[in-house]
Amino acid sequence: MIAAPLRPLYGFGERNSGSWLLLRSTKAAPGTEMPSRTCREMRPGTLWPGRAPRLLDAPVINPFKTLLRTSKRSGKRQASAILLLQRIWQPPEPKTKGAKTRAKPLRRKVSRSTLRPTRPEPGTFVDGLFSSPHGKLAYKLYTPTGSSRRRLPLVVMLHGCGQSAADFAVGTDMNKLADERGFLVLYPQQSTSANLGRCWNWHSPLDQKRGSGEPAIIAALTAHIISTSKANSTRVYIAGISAGGAAAAIIAAAYPDLYIAAGVHSGLAVGEVRTLRGALSAMRNGPRAAGVTKTARPPPCIVFHGDQDRVVHPSNASGFLSHLLRSSPRSLTSRTQRGRSSGGREFTRTVYGYGLRDVLLEDWTVHGSGHAWSGGSPAGSHTDPAGPDASREMIRFFLARKRLVAKVPRTRAGA
């Protein structure tokens, strides 16, 4: 609504009379000189320009009631606009004592530390069940004794056929080493619904590639533990025995951005096996003749195998060297060491690499040992306590390697 020119009330028609004028929105009287102001500019209590104001003896009248009454008489639809102006111009009503006010709900402040996942207590061996789009997987996680502040390396251990996560932990004594060297140990456990013998399905094509089957589930579980248990993402390793060893080699090759190195005990290298029949043939007779096609460079690997193994043929250990030779035209250097363990087992240790520092493969042949974890505890299944300590040697090999992270150079402010 555009306001009409204003005229003064109570007979004060002089512009410079200095009176306190109460205005209403009506047309100006003939011959009356009015300033070019609108109702929006002239709020109640506005003083007319001129001399100093003086109080009036006239009664105080609410101008909004006058405006409303005038609009009703004229028959024009101005009442809603006038009421809106009244709401805008009138001061807020003072709050009376004892008036009920609606209390604002209290919001509890949640610190970031409460939202952040916490690592299990030191020295605990907890059970868990992990779910992912690729399936569910039970696991056990050991947290070593000591400080819970620093980020710890993580070692993933895959059991063999017929074993459980708890049995494999006892047989390898890896938890005792974790307390000594300071690292987390994750034991995924195969379900009988996925395999009746609790074997990892390393021979299935769906379980041999990135983003599919068991490699995807175990990789997702590893990432989950890194996040929830404050593990060091630059020091993550994977190892296993028998079917677990073959699965560890496949998973490490499929996820080189996650696992730094692999350990395989009495297992098979990544090869041409695509069926259960082919897997059984390779286990009995050894790998087929090595191909000539170039392969991707495998992650650093440490291999243990007993030369009296009747379950997985000892010649399968040569598949790791064959894979490494086909990955690069560069010539490998090797160093061989022979010795005897404290339990009386003789062994041969051969190291392959591109120089003394760049070791890519460490191959241990335990003479006289069968299909068993070398140097393991007799309290667990499939162990050979007389052999060299495979657990300790794997941890030595693992912790000597760390993924290099590119550092952002620091710059001065304003540079």
Side-chain angles (χ1 to χ4, degrees):
M1 177 189 74
I2 300 177
L6 308 176
R7 70 179 177 84
L9 301 178
Y10 312 116
F12 298 97
E14 294 290 332
R15 177 174 179 177
N16 295 326
S17 62
S19 301
W20 190 0
L21 303 182
L22 297 176
L23 305 177
R24 68 180 179 181
S25 177
T26 59
K27 293 184 179 179
T32 303
E33 182 182 357
M34 297 295 297
S36 58
R37 297 194 180 186
T38 63
C39 288
R40 179 172 289 277
E41 295 175 304
M42 301 297 293
R43 299 175 180 267
T46 302
L47 298 181
W48 202 276
R51 298 194 305 271
R54 68 172 182 268
L55 297 177
L56 299 179
D57 296 331
V60 178
I61 300 176
N62 188 348
F64 298 104
K65 292 184 179 179
T66 306
L67 291 171
L68 183 60
R69 188 164 51 251
T70 304
S71 64
K72 289 180 179 179
R73 290 175 183 175
S74 61
K76 297 179 180 179
R77 297 180 179 272
Q78 300 176 352
S80 60
I82 294 171
L83 292 175
L84 178 61
L85 291 174
Q86 184 176 4
R87 272 191 226 106
I88 297 174
W89 287 346
Q90 280 188 339
E93 295 182 0
K95 295 182 179 179
T96 58
K97 293 183 179 181
K100 293 183 179 180
T101 57
R102 187 177 180 183
K104 295 182 179 180
L106 296 177
R107 294 183 179 180
R108 184 180 178 185
K109 293 183 178 180
V110 181
S111 62
R112 294 183 179 180
S113 59
T114 58
L115 298 176
R116 189 179 303 160
T118 56
R119 179 191 296 167
E121 291 296 324
T124 57
F125 198 23
V126 299
D127 297 283
L129 180 63
F130 176 72
S131 297
S132 75
H134 301 279
K136 295 181 180 180
L137 194 62
Y139 67 89
K140 293 183 75 70
L141 176 67
Y142 183 74
T143 304
T145 57
S147 174
S148 60
R149 292 193 175 187
R150 68 185 183 96
R151 292 191 173 273
L152 300 176
L154 174 62
V155 178
V156 182
M157 298 288 289
L158 302 180
H159 61 77
C161 296
Q163 291 182 313
S164 64
D167 177 31
F168 193 43
V170 172
T172 58
D173 260 344
M174 196 61 76
N175 294 354
K176 187 183 297 184
L177 269 175
D179 289 335
E180 180 182 329
R181 301 296 302 271
F183 57 89
L184 299 162
V185 195
L186 172 64
Y187 300 89
Q189 180 170 287
Q190 178 68 296
S191 65
T192 54
S193 59
N195 189 290
L196 288 175
R198 277 191 174 170
C199 301
W200 300 101
N201 297 303
W202 60 274
H203 57 273
S204 172
L206 292 177
D207 299 303
Q208 295 179 341
K209 57 184 179 180
R210 184 185 182 102
S212 176
E214 292 170 359
I217 300 174
I218 294 174
L221 172 59
T222 303
H224 172 72
I225 296 300
I226 292 173
S227 174
T228 58
S229 299
K230 293 172 58 178
N232 188 341
S233 60
T234 65
R235 293 182 179 272
V236 182
Y237 319 96
I238 187 169
I241 184 173
S242 192
I250 291 173
I251 296 170
Y255 292 90
D257 52 334
L258 183 60
Y259 302 98
I260 315 304
V264 180
H265 201 307
S266 307
L268 297 89
V270 179
E272 304 296 330
V273 176
R274 295 290 184 271
T275 63
L276 179 58
R277 180 178 295 181
L280 294 174
S281 175
M283 292 169 62
R284 285 194 298 261
N285 307 314
R288 293 188 298 176
V292 293
T293 57
K294 185 178 180 180
T295 61
R297 178 172 172 172
C301 187
I302 179 171
V303 178
F304 274 80
H305 216 119
D307 62 1
Q308 300 300 314
D309 195 332
R310 298 291 182 263
V311 179
V312 178
H313 200 278
S315 62
N316 282 287
S318 63
F320 295 92
L321 177 59
S322 174
H323 195 182
L324 182 59
L325 290 171
R326 287 186 292 156
S327 66
S328 174
R330 297 173 60 185
S331 58
L332 289 171
T333 59
S334 64
R335 290 176 288 121
T336 301
Q337 172 193 358
R338 292 176 176 83
R340 182 188 296 269
S341 68
S342 58
R345 294 279 188 205
E346 294 184 351
F347 63 85
T348 301
R349 172 178 172 262
T350 306
V351 177
Y352 302 91
Y354 301 125
L356 297 177
R357 295 186 177 180
D358 191 10
V359 176
L360 300 177
L361 176 63
E362 188 170 322
D363 182 23
W364 288 68
T365 300
V366 184
H367 304 291
S369 182
H371 192 71
W373 189 274
S374 180
S377 169
S381 62
H382 303 291
T383 61
D384 179 16
D389 194 341
S391 296
R392 186 173 295 276
E393 296 298 335
M394 284 188 181
I395 295 304
R396 171 194 56 79
F397 184 86
F398 289 162
L399 297 184
R401 285 153 180 81
K402 177 182 178 181
R403 176 178 289 110
L404 298 179
V405 180
K407 294 183 179 181
V408 179
R410 296 182 179 180
T411 56
R412 296 181 179 177

